[in-house]
Amino acid sequence: MARTSAEPLSGEQLAAIGGCTNCHTAKGGAYLAGGDPIVTPYGVFYAPNITPDPATGIGDWQEIDFVRAMRAGRAPDGTPYYPAFPYTSYHRMTDADLAALFTHLRSVPAVRAPRREHRLRFPYGFRFTLRLWQWLFHEPRPFEPDPTRDPLWNRGAYLVLGPGHCAECHTPRGPFGQLDWSRAFAGNPDGPEGGDVPNITGDPERGIGSWSLDQLVLYLEIGMRPDGDFAGGPMAKIIEIGTGRLPPRDRLAIATYLRSLPGH
Ligand code: HEC
Ligand code: HEC
């Protein structure tokens, strides 16, 4: 199994950097008891209740069910999930991190809150098409460290590509909504909430190649850009509850990895 760090994150920290609450908690609602509408080009999704309530949440799940959801993108009965749930990144998480995250989910208050049906455009409402989509575009594979790189770089790669799911917003998508890895982290004009998500590759003009390592670390901690502006939109929340609360070494790891990305 992939070893990426001497000090593992807690399940709570993994939930924060994983942004679970951003989608699974409604404004003013109970933690992880179901989220606000997620508006996408395919229609509106509702992230369900993932508290331990057996009837409306995932209280009757075993760890193996959770691991399957996070890696294969499948429900306990085998039904495929929409990639609006970013298992397309989470599948890289280590066994140990998934176990810690599941333990955290088991520990939150159980809330009775029935799931809301997604409202999807034709033909996206047909879940069986997802089997084909997963067959074409999803191959679950835990993160493999690159032996030619040092542990700090590998730790950053793991956090960015796995739990941090940074590519889900920062990488452009192909015609079927699949991540276009040939242009990894080159930005996405159709990001969440209809926003334009910036290029974070090493390209000095289009990306963040002109930022120093320290400037990038500071941005991940408090959201201040080198020009003195502060992060807005969904990134503000990612920093506030996610990267801003990581141990400093993990922020340095993320910045080290990002700065190594070839410009696009
Ligand atoms: C970008 C929004 C988003 C984020 C971030 C997100 N989810 Fe979800 N999640 C969803 C959506 C939407 C679904 C429903 C998918 C479907 O119906 O096919 C879902 C479904 C699930 C399910 C299946 C629940 C069930 O009853 O079948 C689990 C478990 C889950 N998410 C856990 C997590 C965890 C743990 C995290 C954080 C590491 C997380 N999610 C982050 C949007 C999100
Ligand atoms: C939910 C979508 C989303 C996710 C997930 C996300 N980002 Fe962002 N990110 C954005 C948006 C939107 C902006 C632009 C913020 C603004 O307008 O101030 C941004 C801005 C940035 C910037 C500044 C770029 C610039 O030119 O201003 C960096 C660096 C960055 N993100 C890194 C990351 C890293 C590292 C992760 C993973 C830990 C991540 N992002 C995850 C949406 C996201």
mmCIF file of all heavy atoms in Angstrom, residues 60-76:
data_model
loop_
_atom_site.group_PDB
_atom_site.id
_atom_site.type_symbol
_atom_site.label_atom_id
_atom_site.label_comp_id
_atom_site.label_asym_id
_atom_site.label_seq_id
_atom_site.Cartn_x
_atom_site.Cartn_y
_atom_site.Cartn_z
ATOM 1 N N ASP A 60 -26.418 1.732 7.793
ATOM 2 C CA ASP A 60 -26.305 0.278 7.704
ATOM 3 C C ASP A 60 -25.135 -0.147 6.800
ATOM 4 O O ASP A 60 -25.020 -1.299 6.435
ATOM 5 C CB ASP A 60 -27.630 -0.343 7.227
ATOM 6 C CG ASP A 60 -28.051 0.192 5.871
ATOM 7 O OD1 ASP A 60 -27.368 1.096 5.339
ATOM 8 O OD2 ASP A 60 -29.064 -0.296 5.330
ATOM 9 N N TRP A 61 -24.277 0.809 6.424
ATOM 10 C CA TRP A 61 -23.129 0.448 5.575
ATOM 11 C C TRP A 61 -21.986 -0.122 6.412
ATOM 12 O O TRP A 61 -21.727 0.328 7.530
ATOM 13 C CB TRP A 61 -22.587 1.685 4.855
ATOM 14 C CG TRP A 61 -23.396 2.139 3.679
ATOM 15 C CD1 TRP A 61 -24.744 1.968 3.487
ATOM 16 C CD2 TRP A 61 -22.911 2.871 2.545
ATOM 17 N NE1 TRP A 61 -25.116 2.549 2.297
ATOM 18 C CE2 TRP A 61 -24.019 3.116 1.698
ATOM 19 C CE3 TRP A 61 -21.660 3.346 2.165
ATOM 20 C CZ2 TRP A 61 -23.891 3.816 0.494
ATOM 21 C CZ3 TRP A 61 -21.544 4.046 0.969
ATOM 22 C CH2 TRP A 61 -22.649 4.264 0.144
ATOM 23 N N GLN A 62 -21.282 -1.085 5.817
ATOM 24 C CA GLN A 62 -20.013 -1.555 6.357
ATOM 25 C C GLN A 62 -18.902 -0.756 5.677
ATOM 26 O O GLN A 62 -19.129 -0.144 4.626
ATOM 27 C CB GLN A 62 -19.811 -3.041 6.035
ATOM 28 C CG GLN A 62 -20.953 -3.936 6.474
ATOM 29 C CD GLN A 62 -21.050 -3.999 7.985
ATOM 30 O OE1 GLN A 62 -20.039 -4.142 8.669
ATOM 31 N NE2 GLN A 62 -22.261 -3.850 8.515
ATOM 32 N N GLU A 63 -17.691 -0.843 6.254
ATOM 33 C CA GLU A 63 -16.567 -0.121 5.658
ATOM 34 C C GLU A 63 -16.361 -0.525 4.192
ATOM 35 O O GLU A 63 -16.059 0.311 3.335
ATOM 36 C CB GLU A 63 -15.289 -0.394 6.461
ATOM 37 C CG GLU A 63 -14.137 0.496 6.030
ATOM 38 C CD GLU A 63 -12.890 0.280 6.881
ATOM 39 O OE1 GLU A 63 -13.019 0.334 8.124
ATOM 40 O OE2 GLU A 63 -11.819 0.053 6.306
ATOM 41 N N ILE A 64 -16.596 -1.781 3.888
ATOM 42 C CA ILE A 64 -16.372 -2.267 2.516
ATOM 43 C C ILE A 64 -17.327 -1.579 1.529
ATOM 44 O O ILE A 64 -16.967 -1.311 0.370
ATOM 45 C CB ILE A 64 -16.492 -3.817 2.482
ATOM 46 C CG1 ILE A 64 -15.978 -4.374 1.171
ATOM 47 C CG2 ILE A 64 -17.881 -4.293 2.759
ATOM 48 C CD1 ILE A 64 -15.910 -5.893 1.164
ATOM 49 N N ASP A 65 -18.548 -1.256 1.997
ATOM 50 C CA ASP A 65 -19.500 -0.536 1.133
ATOM 51 C C ASP A 65 -18.984 0.867 0.845
ATOM 52 O O ASP A 65 -19.106 1.387 -0.271
ATOM 53 C CB ASP A 65 -20.871 -0.423 1.819
ATOM 54 C CG ASP A 65 -21.497 -1.782 2.094
ATOM 55 O OD1 ASP A 65 -21.423 -2.652 1.212
ATOM 56 O OD2 ASP A 65 -22.052 -1.968 3.202
ATOM 57 N N PHE A 66 -18.440 1.496 1.887
ATOM 58 C CA PHE A 66 -17.928 2.852 1.746
ATOM 59 C C PHE A 66 -16.728 2.883 0.789
ATOM 60 O O PHE A 66 -16.636 3.732 -0.102
ATOM 61 C CB PHE A 66 -17.535 3.397 3.129
ATOM 62 C CG PHE A 66 -16.951 4.774 3.088
ATOM 63 C CD1 PHE A 66 -17.730 5.872 2.729
ATOM 64 C CD2 PHE A 66 -15.612 4.986 3.392
ATOM 65 C CE1 PHE A 66 -17.181 7.142 2.675
ATOM 66 C CE2 PHE A 66 -15.067 6.259 3.348
ATOM 67 C CZ PHE A 66 -15.847 7.345 2.988
ATOM 68 N N VAL A 67 -15.828 1.923 0.971
ATOM 69 C CA VAL A 67 -14.633 1.864 0.111
ATOM 70 C C VAL A 67 -15.063 1.670 -1.346
ATOM 71 O O VAL A 67 -14.542 2.304 -2.267
ATOM 72 C CB VAL A 67 -13.677 0.745 0.584
ATOM 73 C CG1 VAL A 67 -12.562 0.500 -0.424
ATOM 74 C CG2 VAL A 67 -13.088 1.103 1.955
ATOM 75 N N ARG A 68 -16.061 0.845 -1.566
ATOM 76 C CA ARG A 68 -16.547 0.610 -2.924
ATOM 77 C C ARG A 68 -17.153 1.884 -3.518
ATOM 78 O O ARG A 68 -16.935 2.204 -4.696
ATOM 79 C CB ARG A 68 -17.601 -0.492 -2.871
ATOM 80 C CG ARG A 68 -18.023 -0.942 -4.229
ATOM 81 C CD ARG A 68 -18.835 -2.216 -4.089
ATOM 82 N NE ARG A 68 -19.128 -2.755 -5.388
ATOM 83 C CZ ARG A 68 -20.308 -3.296 -5.684
ATOM 84 N NH1 ARG A 68 -21.260 -3.367 -4.785
ATOM 85 N NH2 ARG A 68 -20.500 -3.780 -6.886
ATOM 86 N N ALA A 69 -17.908 2.622 -2.702
ATOM 87 C CA ALA A 69 -18.495 3.877 -3.189
ATOM 88 C C ALA A 69 -17.396 4.863 -3.577
ATOM 89 O O ALA A 69 -17.461 5.494 -4.639
ATOM 90 C CB ALA A 69 -19.405 4.485 -2.109
ATOM 91 N N MET A 70 -16.385 4.975 -2.732
ATOM 92 C CA MET A 70 -15.332 5.969 -2.944
ATOM 93 C C MET A 70 -14.370 5.575 -4.064
ATOM 94 O O MET A 70 -13.757 6.427 -4.687
ATOM 95 C CB MET A 70 -14.525 6.172 -1.649
ATOM 96 C CG MET A 70 -15.335 6.728 -0.490
ATOM 97 S SD MET A 70 -15.756 8.474 -0.681
ATOM 98 C CE MET A 70 -14.220 9.264 -0.186
ATOM 99 N N ARG A 71 -14.210 4.271 -4.301
ATOM 100 C CA ARG A 71 -13.251 3.839 -5.332
ATOM 101 C C ARG A 71 -13.955 3.493 -6.635
ATOM 102 O O ARG A 71 -13.604 4.014 -7.693
ATOM 103 C CB ARG A 71 -12.462 2.618 -4.840
ATOM 104 C CG ARG A 71 -11.483 2.964 -3.747
ATOM 105 C CD ARG A 71 -10.160 2.238 -3.939
ATOM 106 N NE ARG A 71 -9.189 2.669 -2.941
ATOM 107 C CZ ARG A 71 -8.706 1.888 -1.986
ATOM 108 N NH1 ARG A 71 -9.095 0.623 -1.889
ATOM 109 N NH2 ARG A 71 -7.824 2.368 -1.130
ATOM 110 N N ALA A 72 -14.940 2.595 -6.565
ATOM 111 C CA ALA A 72 -15.585 2.120 -7.791
ATOM 112 C C ALA A 72 -16.734 3.039 -8.207
ATOM 113 O O ALA A 72 -17.223 2.958 -9.330
ATOM 114 C CB ALA A 72 -16.092 0.695 -7.592
ATOM 115 N N GLY A 73 -17.195 3.917 -7.286
ATOM 116 C CA GLY A 73 -18.345 4.755 -7.611
ATOM 117 C C GLY A 73 -19.614 3.930 -7.730
ATOM 118 O O GLY A 73 -20.450 4.177 -8.597
ATOM 119 N N ARG A 74 -19.738 2.920 -6.871
ATOM 120 C CA ARG A 74 -20.903 2.031 -6.903
ATOM 121 C C ARG A 74 -21.575 1.987 -5.535
ATOM 122 O O ARG A 74 -20.896 1.942 -4.507
ATOM 123 C CB ARG A 74 -20.483 0.599 -7.270
ATOM 124 C CG ARG A 74 -19.911 0.445 -8.668
ATOM 125 C CD ARG A 74 -21.001 0.566 -9.709
ATOM 126 N NE ARG A 74 -20.465 0.555 -11.059
ATOM 127 C CZ ARG A 74 -20.634 -0.468 -11.921
ATOM 128 N NH1 ARG A 74 -21.293 -1.544 -11.550
ATOM 129 N NH2 ARG A 74 -20.144 -0.385 -13.138
ATOM 130 N N ALA A 75 -22.908 1.931 -5.548
ATOM 131 C CA ALA A 75 -23.678 1.755 -4.322
ATOM 132 C C ALA A 75 -23.543 0.307 -3.862
ATOM 133 O O ALA A 75 -23.094 -0.550 -4.630
ATOM 134 C CB ALA A 75 -25.141 2.096 -4.596
ATOM 135 N N PRO A 76 -23.940 0.007 -2.607
ATOM 136 C CA PRO A 76 -23.831 -1.377 -2.127
ATOM 137 C C PRO A 76 -24.526 -2.378 -3.053
ATOM 138 O O PRO A 76 -24.076 -3.510 -3.185
ATOM 139 C CB PRO A 76 -24.502 -1.330 -0.740
ATOM 140 C CG PRO A 76 -24.297 0.077 -0.286
ATOM 141 C CD PRO A 76 -24.372 0.923 -1.531
#
